[in-house]
């Protein structure tokens, strides 16, 4: 059997969302460290809420786990109540920040009627995601740019159009060199937190389409270099299948990132998937 390393090192990022106090963050990372510290050819990252970044960083120690934030603002400093700047995140030890998640874009699949009028309360758009991504890159923080279609868009055959539109708008004006460094997460809105995972071949097809869109806009090197993650109900059971796909370079994991054991299994699957095996 011949082993050949894949072009891109997989990244598994745990999006904790609004979960975990400082003590819970310490316990979760403490449980994760022994499970992932010896894994090779995979980058592991946790994205706690802002309030637990410091506790997570301390628990990470020198294990090699990376730290990410769940959002960031596009100004350096000033009168922006509630916002957090890239410098603040770098100071907290972050390497990454998630932007354009469907939960901050206001693109939940279906919502409780009583929430419908507040659907876009975070109001993130392709244009603000673009400004954030550019500012982050200028500061040395790596964006994890999320994209994804709603169930209605999928059912009406608009998936590719919606996603390539999001990608072009979110990455507009970024240099090809910088595109190579950043991370894109394909997260079908209907698969997030629902237990309904996108079928592996289809997830791979959409990731390929995203890579092709990047190639057309920014050139072959940018398309080959950019890492494209899948997110949406990835767990310890389905991770291996998804991560083995040629175009899927890792995962953005929500629910299954809240338990060290399941997240550890996903990280291990990614480490294994970093290699192609030929008979
Ligand atoms: P999920 O969330 O794994 O719970 O579906 C993924 C995400 O929202 O990033």
């Amino acid at each position: 059997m011949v082993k050949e390393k894949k072009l891109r090192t997989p990244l598994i990022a745990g999006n904790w969302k609004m979960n975990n106090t400082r003590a819970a963050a310490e316990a979760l990372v403490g449980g994760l460290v022994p499970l992932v510290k010896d894994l090779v050819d995979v980058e592991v990252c946790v994205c706690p809420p802002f309030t637990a970044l410091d506790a997570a960083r301390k628990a990470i120690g020198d294990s090699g786990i990376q730290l990410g934030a769940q959002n960031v603002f596009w100004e350096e400093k000033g009168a922006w109540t509630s916002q957090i700047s890239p410098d603040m995140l770098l100071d907290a030890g972050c390497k990454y920040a998630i932007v354009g998640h469907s939960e901050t874009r206001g693109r939940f699949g279906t919502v409780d009627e009583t929430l419908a009028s507040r659907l876009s309360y975070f109001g993130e758009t392709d244009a603000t995601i673009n400004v954030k991504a550019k500012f982050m890159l200028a500061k040395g923080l790596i964006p994890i740019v999320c994209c994804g279609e709603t169930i209605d868009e999928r059912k009406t055959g608009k998936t590719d159009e919606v996603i390539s539109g999001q990608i072009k708008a979110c990455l507009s004006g970024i240099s090809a060199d910088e595109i190579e460094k950043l991370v894109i997460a394909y997260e079908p809105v209907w698969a997030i937190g629902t237990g309904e995972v996108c079928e592996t071949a289809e997830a791979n097809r959409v990731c390929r389409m995203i890579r092709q869109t990047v190639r057309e806009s920014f050139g072959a090197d940018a398309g080959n270099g950019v890492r494209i993650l899948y997110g949406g109900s990835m767990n310890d059971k389905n991770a291996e299948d998804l991560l083995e796909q040629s175009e899927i370079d890792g995962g953005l994991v929500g629910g299954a990132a809240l338990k060290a054991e399941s997240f550890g299994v996903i990280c291990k699957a990614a480490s294994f998937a970093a290699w192609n095996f030929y008979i």
Side-chain angles (χ1 to χ4, degrees):
M1 190 184 302
V2 183
K3 245 169 93 166
E4 193 180 286
K5 200 159 173 195
K6 284 192 185 163
L7 208 55
R8 298 168 289 271
T9 302
L11 168 67
I12 302 294
N15 176 10
W16 292 4
K17 309 193 180 182
M18 197 172 71
N19 292 290
N20 293 329
T21 57
R22 295 166 57 84
E26 239 180 86
L28 177 49
V29 175
L32 187 62
V33 167
L35 302 178
V36 302
K37 73 174 179 10
D38 296 327
L39 294 180
V40 290
D41 303 320
V42 58
E43 195 181 359
V44 177
C45 172
V46 292
C47 304
F50 294 130
T51 48
L53 282 172
D54 200 45
R57 175 172 65 167
K58 286 183 184 134
I60 284 171
D62 60 3
S63 65
I65 296 175
Q66 302 294 336
L67 197 60
Q70 296 174 23
N71 204 349
V72 64
F73 196 57
W74 60 78
E75 291 285 343
E76 180 111 38
K77 61 179 179 177
W80 301 99
T81 301
S82 86
Q83 299 302 313
I84 303 281
S85 74
D87 280 344
M88 291 169 182
L89 295 182
L90 289 165
D91 186 43
C94 291
K95 176 175 179 183
Y96 296 99
I98 299 168
V99 290
H101 193 281
S102 63
E103 287 156 16
T104 48
R105 279 177 187 260
R107 287 172 60 83
F108 291 94
T110 52
V111 288
D112 189 297
E113 275 289 285
T114 56
L115 279 179
S117 63
R118 293 185 245 156
L119 195 54
S120 56
Y121 36 35
F122 303 114
E124 221 181 11
T125 64
D126 289 341
T128 61
I129 294 159
N130 179 241
V131 185
K132 287 179 184 184
K134 282 188 195 151
F135 193 53
M136 287 171 74
L137 286 162
K139 288 287 182 179
L141 196 61
I142 302 177
I144 300 177
V145 178
C146 302
C147 61
E149 80 287 0
T150 62
I151 194 64
D152 286 348
E153 288 161 349
R154 173 159 286 271
K155 281 184 178 157
T156 51
K158 296 199 186 110
T159 299
D160 292 14
E161 178 195 330
V162 165
I163 290 168
S164 59
Q166 288 174 346
I167 293 298
K168 283 182 199 153
C170 291
L171 305 187
S172 161
I174 298 178
S175 75
D177 284 356
E178 287 179 319
I179 296 286
E180 256 185 90
K181 284 184 241 153
L182 64 73
V183 179
I184 294 173
Y186 168 52
E187 297 211 310
V189 179
W190 48 271
I192 295 176
T194 57
E196 198 182 328
V197 66
C198 183
E199 204 261 313
T200 44
E202 173 60 7
N204 195 46
R205 186 196 70 77
V206 176
C207 290
R208 183 181 299 115
M209 188 278 296
I210 293 171
R211 198 176 302 287
Q212 192 50 33
T213 304
V214 173
R215 275 198 193 106
E216 281 161 19
S217 306
F218 302 96
D221 287 349
N224 293 338
V226 68
R227 284 184 292 181
I228 304 178
L229 316 183
Y230 168 80
S233 300
M234 184 183 274
N235 60 34
D236 50 354
K237 309 276 183 307
N238 58 32
E240 198 178 323
D241 258 9
L242 286 159
L243 296 169
E244 268 174 2
Q245 304 294 310
S246 58
E247 300 298 331
I248 300 179
D249 305 318
L252 184 55
V253 186
L258 298 176
K259 292 257 181 310
E261 296 70 29
S262 49
F263 195 61
V265 170
I266 297 171
C267 296
K268 203 168 168 189
S271 162
F272 191 73
W275 293 82
N276 285 315
F277 294 89
Y278 303 99
I279 311 267

